Amino acid sequence: GRPSASAAAASNHRHIHRLKSKVQSLQGANTDLSSEITRLQSANEHLTTELEKVRQTVLDRTIEAERHQHKHATLETQFTSLEESYKTYIAKSNMEQGSLKERIGKLQSELEKVQHQASLEDMQEMEEIRRNYSKMSQELHDVKAKNARMQKAWDTKEREFQRQLASEKLLRYEGANNARR
């Protein structure tokens, strides 16, 4: 059969009590969940702030790294340019040095030729001077010998003249003495 009204009321009452107990239990769980949601939202906000800081740090580091990379590339370009300039300068300097050595060699060779030529000319000039000196010495000797012969001839003529003069004086004197006698 059918249960009695009181039994049905008691059963309802137990059912309501169970439902109330369940509602209270669910409300407690809801309060716990709300509190957990608030805690998780706070943690989420904190993590979002930290993540934003990390993103900003990464961005700053990326910009700094790009600056360093740009600076490195610029320095590398400058270094390469300087290295090329240096290599060009060294090559040019080596060429000029080779050219100068070649010119110095030519000038030394030319100088040796000129010195050799000059010494030959000096020798020829000295030989010419020696010949002229010998010739002039011979001419001087010849002139002295001629002068000595002329002086001797003169002296001989003068003595002859003096003798003739003395003879004439003597003859005149004797002639005058003879005429007085």
Side-chain angles (χ1 to χ4, degrees):
R2 210 167 168 223
S4 67
S6 73
S11 173
N12 265 350
H13 182 65
R14 274 194 310 270
H15 188 61
I16 287 171
H17 182 63
R18 260 190 270 130
L19 285 175
K20 268 185 186 180
S21 177
K22 246 185 184 178
V23 165
Q24 281 177 347
S25 172
L26 285 171
Q27 282 176 336
N30 190 34
T31 302
D32 288 347
L33 283 174
S34 287
S35 152
E36 181 66 16
I37 285 172
T38 304
R39 189 186 66 72
L40 286 173
Q41 282 176 336
S42 174
N44 188 36
E45 286 172 15
H46 176 73
L47 286 174
T48 301
T49 303
E50 287 299 309
L51 181 62
E52 198 49 47
K53 285 181 185 173
V54 167
R55 278 188 188 144
Q56 190 58 47
T57 301
V58 166
L59 182 63
D60 291 348
R61 295 278 162 83
T62 301
I63 290 170
E64 193 176 327
E66 285 174 358
R67 262 195 228 123
H68 282 299
Q69 197 173 11
H70 178 70
K71 194 174 185 180
H72 178 266
T74 302
L75 288 174
E76 195 171 34
T77 301
Q78 288 174 349
F79 174 77
T80 302
S81 174
L82 284 173
E83 193 175 33
E84 288 302 314
S85 294
Y86 176 74
K87 285 177 182 176
T88 301
Y89 169 78
I90 290 297
K92 186 177 176 186
S93 176
N94 286 341
M95 283 174 56
E96 286 175 0
Q97 197 174 14
S99 173
L100 285 174
K101 282 181 180 176
E102 189 179 325
R103 284 176 59 199
I104 287 171
K106 285 179 182 176
L107 287 173
Q108 282 177 332
S109 174
E110 212 172 300
L111 177 64
E112 287 170 6
K113 284 179 189 174
V114 166
Q115 285 175 336
H116 180 71
Q117 186 65 33
S119 68
L120 283 177
E121 288 173 5
D122 286 348
M123 286 172 55
Q124 290 170 346
E125 199 174 309
M126 289 297 285
E127 183 60 29
E128 184 67 25
I129 289 171
R130 190 189 63 69
R131 278 196 303 270
N132 288 341
Y133 177 77
S134 294
K135 184 178 169 189
M136 290 167 89
S137 293
Q138 187 60 48
E139 287 173 2
L140 180 63
H141 176 72
D142 293 349
V143 166
K144 282 183 177 178
K146 189 175 178 183
N147 281 347
R149 285 193 306 275
M150 288 174 76
Q151 187 66 44
K152 191 174 179 183
W154 174 262
D155 290 345
T156 303
K157 284 183 180 179
E158 189 180 7
R159 277 194 302 276
E160 183 65 32
F161 176 75
Q162 291 294 335
R163 216 178 295 121
Q164 282 179 352
L165 189 62
S167 283
E168 282 179 26
K169 277 184 183 178
L170 187 61
L171 286 175
R172 266 192 239 151
Y173 179 74
E174 285 178 354
N177 276 340
N178 284 343
R180 271 191 225 160
R181 284 187 195 149

